[in-house]
Amino acid sequence: MKKLKGRFQGLYWRQLFVTAGTVMLTLFLLGASFFTLSYNYAGRQRSDEILSQARVVSQLSVSYLESGRYLSMEELRSDPDFQQLASFAAMVSDVDFLICDVEGHVLLATDESLDGMVLTMPEDMTRSVMEEGSSSRRDDLDGLYEQRRFVVGVPAVNSETREIVGEVFAVATMTSLDTMWQGFVGLFFMTALVSLMIAFMAASITAMRQVKPIREMAQATRRYAEGDFDVRMKDYGRNDEVGELAASFNNMAESLQQTERQRREFIANISHELKTPMTTIAGYTDGILDGTIPPENERKYLQIISDESRRLSRMVRRMLDVSQLQTMDPLRNGNHFDLCESMRRVLISMEQKINDRHLDVDADIPDEPILVLGDNDMITQVIYNLLDNAAKFAREGTTLYLGVAARDGKARVTVRNIGDTIPAEELPLLFERFHKSDKSRSEDKDGVGLGLYIVKTILEQHKEKINVTSEDGVTTFSFSLTLE
């Protein structure tokens, strides 16, 4: 029972039931409104017809009813002129007439089934005719008829004296109206049934088209949870929200796959980077402890152990810096600072390193301040990393270039050096974690391969990008910041 109940609680059945219920409710309301309005309208039309016919008969009956000319029904019906009037009234479209005196006693009835009967109209109907000028309702006339009929009564009034000399009641069956209404009901229910079937089919197809991709996405999500990111959604040939969702789902899968690949590469890289200094430290330490390394060489190898320990410490610290940078939002508070002053501070701090490499510096930094939006410390770190990287790989005796220019609402910073040309296929890899352009992870003892990755991360936090070109030995890094 629970399983069956669960099957009918899915999105497909909910949408199907909602659509079908809405169609049924709409058809019911439309049908009820149509039947009520049409039946009442047809009833009023029929009542108006009978009323007009009753008034004609009442005008023709005035001369026969005035002054008590006839005292009984037999005397009235024996009059040849009035018999002609009765024959005329009997031929009027399925309507029978009851001609009465002012007290409601029936003097003449065109309905042959009432011959020989002494009839008196209900008192309330007679009073309504006398006081209000007409009476109209559905009634069986105190059981005179088996089913209720339209009964319309009007007074017979002398046109000269305005005296009421009698009453005329027109009686009509509702057979034609009921037949017409029953025909409408049958036609409506047949049309409603066809419409409901079409609605069910359309709702079923529509719901299935919407539910199918959602089910496939749910299955793909479970695959992603298991670590399989190769699953992709079909575009279903649709340009609506479902197609857009499928495309977004595939983009998410691509991003997850790339993130997983980067995670694995990161773990592999960090394992390699940590293994090298740790192996060196462990090897030389064991050599000193077991006497493999002579005592006169111990100081040399202890210095190597110290250097490797510091490099390991720098590596861990850099990785922590990257983790912190990815959670910061430097543009949140709208801070600004003088970019020129930050660049000058970096040059001063690197003066010794530049001199050790016998490099010249071409600094194109304006004396006037250039105010930019962002975090001063983070951008200073960017400039320092770029200039440090440029000095490290510059050919000795060449010139470093550090400059900034403001244009089009941006301050563009450029760092350039002269050294070995970086292959074009390697340029996009410069900003990856632990990547080193010299292809050797042991030759550059001071570097950990995170400097340019930190640069890219900081600039991404500032909603900016960094560009790099390398041709004929000239390598140029450039990035921009938004002016205040």
Side-chain angles (χ1 to χ4, degrees):
M1 183 66 181
K2 290 184 178 180
K3 185 176 180 181
L4 182 62
K5 183 178 179 181
R7 290 179 58 88
F8 287 96
Q9 288 181 344
L11 183 61
Y12 171 81
W13 291 106
R14 288 179 183 177
Q15 184 169 351
L16 187 63
F17 289 149
V18 168
T19 303
T22 302
V23 172
M24 293 180 64
L25 179 61
T26 302
L27 290 175
F28 173 77
L29 294 177
L30 288 176
S33 301
F34 173 76
F35 293 148
T36 301
L37 293 175
S38 61
Y39 192 82
N40 290 338
Y41 176 78
R44 285 195 300 270
Q45 289 289 101
R46 183 62 171 161
S47 179
D48 292 342
E49 289 181 12
I50 298 174
L51 180 62
S52 63
Q53 293 169 355
R55 285 174 176 168
V56 171
V57 174
S58 69
Q59 293 175 0
L60 296 175
S61 304
V62 170
S63 60
Y64 296 94
L65 295 173
E66 59 184 355
S67 303
R69 180 175 174 183
Y70 300 101
L71 299 179
S72 66
M73 180 182 296
E74 290 74 10
E75 294 181 17
L76 183 63
R77 296 187 63 180
S78 62
D79 189 294
D81 293 333
F82 201 70
Q83 288 179 0
Q84 185 177 4
L85 173 61
S87 299
F88 171 77
M91 290 188 302
V92 177
S93 63
D94 295 332
V95 177
D96 292 318
F97 294 94
L98 303 177
I99 303 174
C100 310
D101 58 19
V102 292
E103 295 179 356
H105 302 296
V106 178
L107 302 177
L108 176 64
T110 61
D111 186 354
E112 295 180 356
S113 64
L114 302 179
D115 287 348
M117 299 176 62
V118 178
L119 304 175
T120 302
M121 298 300 295
E123 183 179 353
D124 56 338
M125 295 183 66
T126 303
R127 185 170 58 254
S128 177
V129 171
M130 297 295 292
E131 295 178 357
E132 300 176 9
S134 66
S135 174
S136 177
R137 68 184 187 188
R138 292 180 178 85
D139 201 292
D140 60 358
L141 298 182
D142 295 334
L144 184 62
Y145 298 104
E146 294 181 358
Q147 297 179 348
R148 294 193 307 167
R149 301 189 180 189
F150 280 120
V151 180
V152 178
V154 294
V157 182
N158 188 310
S159 58
E160 295 180 357
T161 63
R162 309 306 300 174
E163 179 185 359
I164 298 177
V165 296
E167 297 173 347
V168 175
F169 291 90
V171 181
T173 63
M174 296 187 290
T175 304
S176 60
L177 185 60
D178 291 340
T179 302
M180 178 188 68
W181 188 77
Q182 292 173 0
F184 281 158
V185 170
L187 180 61
F188 173 79
F189 276 110
M190 183 179 66
T191 305
L193 181 61
V194 173
S195 301
L196 194 59
M197 292 177 61
I198 295 175
F200 263 111
M201 294 175 61
S204 178
I205 295 174
T206 303
M208 183 59 67
R209 280 175 55 86
Q210 292 180 354
V211 170
K212 183 179 179 181
I214 294 176
R215 289 176 177 171
E216 293 181 358
M217 291 178 189
Q219 294 176 357
T221 303
R222 288 190 286 269
R223 297 277 296 275
Y224 294 157
E226 296 171 357
D228 182 6
F229 300 106
D230 294 328
V231 181
R232 295 293 182 272
M233 301 299 301
K234 297 181 293 184
D235 60 4
Y236 304 99
R238 300 170 63 170
N239 296 322
D240 56 5
E241 289 80 358
V242 174
E244 183 178 354
L245 180 60
S248 300
F249 210 84
N250 289 335
N251 293 335
M252 180 192 69
E254 292 286 349
S255 178
L256 289 174
Q257 191 174 45
Q258 182 178 3
T259 301
E260 178 64 15
R261 183 168 56 251
Q262 291 176 348
R263 184 185 68 84
R264 292 177 180 176
E265 292 176 356
F266 176 76
I267 293 175
N269 290 336
I270 197 172
S271 298
H272 179 84
E273 292 294 333
L274 294 176
K275 180 177 66 176
T276 301
M278 292 175 68
T279 301
T280 301
I281 293 171
Y284 289 145
T285 301
D286 291 342
I288 293 173
L289 292 175
D290 61 18
T292 304
I293 297 175
E296 61 271 16
N297 293 334
E298 287 183 359
R299 182 175 181 82
K300 172 186 174 182
Y301 289 103
L302 285 174
Q303 184 62 48
I304 294 175
I305 293 174
S306 177
D307 293 340
E308 289 298 302
S309 298
R310 289 189 177 90
R311 190 162 79 93
L312 187 60
S313 177
R314 288 196 302 272
M315 187 183 302
V316 174
R317 187 170 60 252
R318 283 296 184 93
M319 287 187 293
L320 291 175
D321 290 341
V322 171
S323 178
Q324 292 175 353
L325 287 174
Q326 291 174 336
T327 62
M328 297 176 64
D329 185 3
L331 301 179
R332 178 183 300 173
N333 299 323
N335 297 328
H336 62 275
F337 62 95
D338 182 7
L339 181 60
C340 297
E341 180 62 25
S342 298
M343 296 174 70
R344 283 191 284 266
R345 285 203 308 268
V346 172
L347 277 176
I348 294 172
S349 66
M350 291 193 61
E351 182 177 1
Q352 184 62 43
K353 182 176 290 189
I354 292 172
N355 291 335
D356 291 343
R357 296 279 295 171
H358 307 292
L359 300 172
D360 293 328
V361 176
D362 179 11
D364 184 12
I365 304 175
D367 294 332
E368 298 80 9
I370 297 178
L371 299 179
V372 295
L373 295 176
D375 185 273
N376 189 3
D377 293 337
M378 295 174 70
I379 297 302
T380 299
Q381 181 70 43
V382 168
I383 300 172
Y384 182 90
N385 286 6
L386 290 177
L387 197 59
D388 179 68
N389 188 74
K392 184 186 302 181
F393 294 100
R395 192 179 301 121
E396 288 193 11
T398 59
T399 301
L400 294 178
Y401 174 81
L402 176 63
V404 59
R407 59 179 179 271
D408 299 330
K410 294 281 187 177
R412 190 166 191 82
V413 179
T414 304
V415 179
R416 184 185 305 123
N417 75 338
I418 300 174
D420 295 334
T421 301
I422 303 175
E425 64 274 10
E426 191 176 342
L427 290 177
L429 305 177
L430 293 178
F431 303 97
E432 297 296 328
R433 296 185 183 97
F434 304 112
H435 178 80
K436 295 181 181 180
S437 61
D438 60 4
K439 300 297 184 181
S440 172
R441 296 186 181 274
S442 59
E443 183 177 323
D444 179 13
K445 297 297 183 181
D446 292 332
V448 295
L450 288 173
L452 292 181
Y453 178 76
I454 291 176
V455 167
K456 185 187 74 168
T457 302
I458 291 175
L459 291 176
E460 286 178 348
Q461 297 299 94
H462 284 76
K463 313 301 182 187
E464 302 288 351
K465 294 183 179 180
I466 185 168
N467 300 312
V468 58
T469 61
S470 185
E471 296 179 357
D472 301 326
V474 179
T475 302
T476 304
F477 289 85
S478 60
F479 67 92
S480 59
L481 294 170
T482 303
L483 295 174
E484 182 193 18

